[in-house]
Structure formats: C-alpha cells, structure tokens
C-alpha cells in the first residue's frame, strides 16, 4: 500500500493515480506502475487471428494508395488495441508520456481544458481556472465541432487531442456549440499552464472557502497550509468550510486521499478493486483532522470527475459534509501507466474505485444531497426605509450601542458569492448548520 507522506513528484513510476477523461493541456495522470506488474495470461496465442493480422498488414503494404512502413502500421494497431477497450485506455508515445508526467507536477503546455467524447463529438468536461481556455470563456458542456476549421466528428479522441496540441504561443481556433445554439469561433494561444491547485479565502468572518481546481501531487499539502492560514486570518476557530470541487477533472488519487484525511478523524476513505494484485488498495483516515470538525459543504457539478468524486463520495458517506450542486461526471475507474521501451507507455484501466459505503460511481456519478443548479444572481438595491434612529429626539440604546440611521451601513466589497448562485446557497446553508450546531 502507498504511504501518504512519501508521495513526491518523482514517484510517478509507482503511484496509483486517477485521472479524468482523455485530455489535452491538462490530462490528470493515471496510475503509474512498474512494467511487468500486470497479470500475464497463460492461454495459448490465437494463431488464426495472428495469421489474419499478418495478412492484413501485407495487404495494406501491397495495395494501399501510398507506401506505409511496418512501424507506422504496428503503432496504429497498438493504438487501436488500447482505444477500443474503453475511453480511458490509450497508447502513449514519448510526447504524450512526457505531458502526462508534467501534468501531475502542475506545469504543462496547452490550452487548459479537459475533454471527453459524446455522440461522435469532442465535449468540454471542464476548463481549468486561469488558463487560456477559461479566460476565453469556454465552458463545461461546450462541444468542439471544429479545430482550425477541420470538423472533429468522426475523429478519434487521440486525433483531436493531437491537433489541439502545439507550440507555446501558437494560436488555435476552436469552433464551439453551446446548448444547441449557433456555432461560434474562439481563438486562443497555447501557453504554459501553471495550475495552482488550491485557492482559499474567507467569504465572511468565520466562513472559509477552499477551491481545488485539480488534484496534483502537492494538493494535500496545499490544503493543509490553506486551512492553517484561514484559521490565522479569522483569528479564532472557523464556523464552517465550503470545499468547491466544481469543474475539477480529477488527478492524483493519493492527493484526493490526503485531502479527505484533513477533514475526518477516522474511517475508510476509498478502496479499489481490480484483477492485478497491486490494484487492490484501501485508504483510511490517519486521525489528523485539521478542520476541527466544523460544519462543511462540498460543491460539485457535471465537471467534477474522478478524484473529485472520491473526495465528495467519502465526505458524503462519512456524514462529514453536505454535498450540494448537481450530479458529478461519473468516472469511477483507475488507470495504470505501464512504461515501455523508448519512452513510451500503456495507459490501461486496471481497477474500479468504491466509496466507503461500497458505491461505485462509474457512469452514474455522485448525486448531491441538495440539488442546486447554476443560476444568475440579479442584485436589487435595498430601499432606503426611514428608521427609528432618524427620528428627532429618539431614545438611545440602553445597552450603549451606536445609533444606526438610514444610510449608515458601509458598502461591502465584492465577494465570490455575490454572482455565484450555487456558492451563495452553500454559504447560506453553512450559516444555518453553524447556528444549529451552536458554533
């Protein structure tokens, strides 16, 4: 079993990792294991099928309109072998393998969006905060119907991803369809994506907000530091915490376990089941709860995938937090990366993960305790009502409190919950939980 305290950026060759759908720019790393750990089948090779395979190669080489070398044909065969297993298994060439390793460290090149496939089109699972994609207004649920004018329908995920990759600074035009509307173009430049996986602030005195954009190797450590700073900034024990996992595509499994460990004192966090020996893992709390057991709300949506679902599912099953928002993406599988020669690797699904209560969220997702759909907030100015303190000769406050006539309130500075309906609802619920718990 992996030790929580020993996972570093150099441990990519041994660590189990859970990623989101196949992505460019930000592909959360799947599990990486030493070559040779997979179970080997002792069944005899299917000679007839191998003869057919060799015959097909010969026919292609002899009759295809252009010459094709053996290396290209064999690599294409390997890619087809993996891509037809499930949407998350793939053959990784040197560039893909390098990008996968870079993504877990939090720095990589690309646009900053996670993508999946739906009905033959490329669909945005989630944009990553503070990247070219998010700044350009790309949203979860958008369909990418063209890349630089070329239709994506009929292309494999790998082909589409390859076209969206490129040199840093190079511009690319994506044609998007949103909510069945008219296609529109978005032009953006590829960039080095430096993702800060944790952002934190006080929404109001006593009420903390922690957003995790992606689960990287150091995310658990970052959450620990964020909790310490929030307590310091508040000056006393917090009244409640909102953990925002919306549009978080997943990432390192170990990081998800560490995050949950910061919020519970005991109990199971997640376990995995698979065919190979090292795919059977169980992770439990170590008793280092750093949240002081204050009321907690977790926000999720359709862009919350994989490792995000592990965190939400664990906190939900352990009755530690109220999960609010909309149903999550539903990726409940674990991928293992098996390194090959020449800087290549196989990314292959080896296990399913389960929440503490034994739930598999594969293709179903985490259903929130309270459904709150995304909505727009329209602020209305408060009417200026005449108050007792405005009356000439009014009595003073017997307890020594200052008078509060009309217009005496100071204008509050803009906060994230002001134009985020789901976050505003989470804060309101958190306040109620804090009051009823006596904090």
């Amino acid at each position: 079993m992996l030790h929580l305290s020993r996972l570093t950026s150099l441990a990519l060759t041994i660590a189990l990792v859970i990623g989101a759908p196949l992505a460019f720019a930000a592909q959360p790393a799947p599990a990486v294991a030493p070559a040779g750990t997979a179970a080997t089948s002792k069944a005899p090779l299917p000679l007839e099928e191998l003869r057919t395979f060799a015959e097909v190669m010969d026919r292609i080489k002899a009759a295809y309109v252009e010459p094709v070398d053996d290396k290209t044909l064999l690599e294409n065969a390997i890619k087809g072998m993996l891509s037809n297993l499930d949407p998350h298994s793939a053959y990784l060439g040197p560039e893909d393998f390098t990008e996968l390793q870079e993504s877990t460290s939090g720095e990589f090149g690309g646009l900053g969006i996670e993508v999946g496939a739906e009905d033959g089109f490329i669909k945005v699972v989630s944009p990553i905060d503070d990247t070219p994609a998010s700044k350009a207004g790309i949203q979860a649920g958008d369909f990418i119907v063209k890349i630089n004018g070329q239709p994506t329908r009929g292309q494999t995920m790998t082909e589409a991803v390859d076209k969206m990759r490129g040199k840093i600074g190079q511009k690319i035009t994506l044609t998007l369809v949103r909510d069945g509307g008219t296609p529109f173009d978005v032009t953006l430049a590829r960039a080095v994506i430096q993702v800060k996986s944790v952002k934190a602030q006080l929404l109001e005195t006593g009420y903390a907000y922690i957003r995790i954009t992606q689960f990287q190797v150091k995310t658990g450590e970052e959450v620990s530091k964020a909790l310490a700073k929030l307590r310091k900034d508040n000056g006393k024990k917090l009244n409640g915490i909102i953990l925002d996992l919306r549009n978080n595509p997943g990432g390192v499994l170990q990081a998800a376990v560490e995050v949950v460990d910061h919020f519970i004192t005991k109990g199971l966090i997640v376990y995995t089941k698979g065919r190979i020996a090292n795919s059977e893992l169980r992770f439990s709390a170590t008793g280092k709860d750093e949240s002081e057991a204050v009321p907690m709300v977790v926000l999720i949506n359709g862009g919350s995938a994989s490792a995000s679902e592990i965190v939400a599912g664990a906190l939900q099953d352990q009755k530690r937090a109220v999960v609010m928002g909309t149903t999550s993406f539903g990726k409940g599988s674990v991928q293992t990366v098996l390194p090959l020669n020449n800087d290549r690797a196989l990314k292959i699904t080896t296990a399913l993960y389960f929440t503490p209560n034994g739930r598999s969220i594969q293709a179903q997702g985490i259903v929130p305790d309270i459904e709150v759909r995304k909505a727009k907030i329209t602020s209305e100015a408060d009417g200026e009502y005449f108050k007792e303190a405005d009356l000439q000769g009014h009595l003073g406050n017997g307890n020594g409190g200052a008078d509060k006539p009309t217009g005496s309130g100071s204008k509050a500075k803009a906060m994230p919950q002001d134009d985020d309906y789901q976050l505003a609802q989470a804060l309101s619920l958190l306040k109620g939980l804090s009051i009823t718990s006596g904090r």
Side-chain angles (χ1 to χ4, degrees):
M1 181 175 288
L2 302 179
H3 296 284
L4 302 185
S5 61
R6 295 186 181 179
L7 188 66
T8 69
S9 59
L10 298 179
L12 192 62
T13 57
I14 60 172
L16 262 183
V17 180
I18 292 189
L22 183 62
F24 72 98
Q27 181 173 337
V32 179
T37 57
T40 56
S41 174
K42 295 183 179 180
L45 291 173
L47 297 180
E48 189 61 35
E49 284 73 15
L50 289 174
R51 291 192 188 97
T52 301
F53 179 82
E55 183 180 359
V56 170
M57 278 191 63
D58 287 339
R59 294 290 180 90
I60 292 173
K61 290 170 63 179
Y64 188 64
V65 65
E66 294 178 351
V68 186
D69 59 72
D70 290 340
K71 179 181 177 182
T72 300
L73 287 174
L74 289 170
E75 287 215 345
N76 287 341
I78 295 170
K79 290 177 182 178
M81 196 185 311
L82 272 294
S83 65
N84 280 293
L85 292 175
D86 64 71
H88 309 296
S89 295
Y91 171 72
L92 305 177
E95 291 184 5
D96 298 329
F97 193 24
T98 298
E99 283 193 16
L100 183 98
Q101 292 170 301
E102 290 175 348
S103 69
T104 58
S105 68
E107 181 175 323
F108 43 86
L111 301 178
I113 55 177
E114 293 293 333
V115 295
E118 184 174 308
D119 298 329
F121 288 103
I122 307 302
K123 184 178 181 180
V124 177
V125 173
S126 62
I128 297 173
D129 290 353
D130 301 323
T131 63
S134 64
K135 292 175 183 177
I138 294 176
Q139 298 181 8
D142 288 349
F143 284 93
I144 302 174
V145 295
K146 291 183 181 179
I147 302 171
N148 284 335
Q150 297 297 314
T152 58
R153 186 169 178 81
Q155 293 184 18
T156 66
M157 178 68 70
T158 302
E159 289 170 341
V161 167
D162 286 344
K163 288 183 179 180
M164 288 187 277
R165 290 178 176 140
K167 295 181 179 179
I168 303 300
Q170 192 176 57
K171 291 188 176 181
I172 180 173
T173 298
L174 304 180
T175 303
L176 307 174
V177 172
R178 181 172 299 161
D179 298 327
T182 304
F184 61 95
D185 290 342
V186 174
T187 300
L188 56 169
R190 299 177 179 94
V192 173
I193 311 297
Q194 293 180 320
V195 178
K196 295 179 180 179
S197 66
V198 177
K199 299 178 181 179
Q201 69 179 95
L202 290 174
L203 296 177
E204 293 181 9
T205 301
Y207 296 97
Y209 173 68
I210 299 175
R211 171 160 174 75
I212 302 177
T213 59
Q214 188 178 1
F215 288 91
Q216 300 167 359
V217 170
K218 295 184 179 180
T219 298
E221 179 184 335
E222 290 178 23
V223 168
S224 177
K225 291 179 179 178
L227 284 168
K229 186 177 186 302
L230 288 165
R231 287 194 297 270
K232 181 179 179 181
D233 291 345
N234 194 55
K236 57 181 179 180
K237 186 175 181 179
L238 295 169
N239 294 329
I241 299 169
I242 295 173
L243 180 63
D244 189 353
L245 301 178
R246 291 173 298 175
N247 294 327
N248 181 321
V252 180
L253 169 62
Q254 195 78 21
V257 170
E258 290 176 1
V259 167
V260 176
D261 200 29
H262 292 318
F263 296 105
I264 64 175
T265 56
K266 62 181 180 179
L268 186 62
I269 295 174
V270 66
Y271 65 95
T272 64
K273 287 184 178 181
R275 292 175 58 208
I276 59 178
N278 62 0
S279 66
E280 301 278 343
L281 298 173
R282 294 177 69 87
F283 297 92
S284 297
T286 62
K288 59 176 185 179
D289 178 12
E290 298 179 20
S291 67
E292 300 180 297
V294 300
M296 187 174 178
V297 175
V298 177
L299 282 173
I300 61 171
N301 65 4
S304 306
S306 200
S308 299
E309 295 169 297
I310 286 177
V311 173
L315 295 174
Q316 187 180 53
D317 281 4
Q318 295 290 358
K319 305 298 183 183
R320 175 63 185 88
V322 176
V323 177
M324 178 182 282
T326 55
T327 302
S328 62
F329 184 77
K331 180 180 181 295
S333 60
V334 181
Q335 282 68 49
T336 299
V337 173
L338 304 174
L340 304 172
N341 296 326
N342 302 320
D343 298 322
R344 290 166 169 78
L346 298 181
K347 183 182 72 167
I348 185 170
T349 301
T350 56
L352 295 177
Y353 69 77
F354 297 84
T355 68
N357 288 349
R359 292 184 294 161
S360 169
I361 58 85
Q362 175 62 25
Q364 293 188 1
I366 295 293
V367 178
D369 300 307
I370 302 175
E371 183 179 57
V372 178
R373 307 194 74 81
K374 188 176 180 181
K376 292 183 179 179
I377 295 179
T378 302
S379 299
E380 295 183 2
D382 290 333
E384 289 292 326
Y385 295 101
F386 200 67
K387 298 181 179 180
E388 171 74 13
D390 296 316
L391 297 176
Q392 186 175 2
H394 68 272
L395 296 175
N397 185 281
N399 296 321
D403 290 350
K404 295 183 179 180
T406 302
S408 62
S410 59
K411 187 177 181 181
K413 73 173 184 177
M415 296 297 287
Q417 65 270 28
D418 294 342
D419 56 5
D420 185 334
Y421 179 70
Q422 292 173 316
L423 180 56
Q425 292 297 300
L427 180 58
S428 295
L429 174 61
L430 199 59
K431 289 179 178 178
L433 293 173
S434 176
I435 292 171
T436 56
S437 65
R439 296 184 187 279

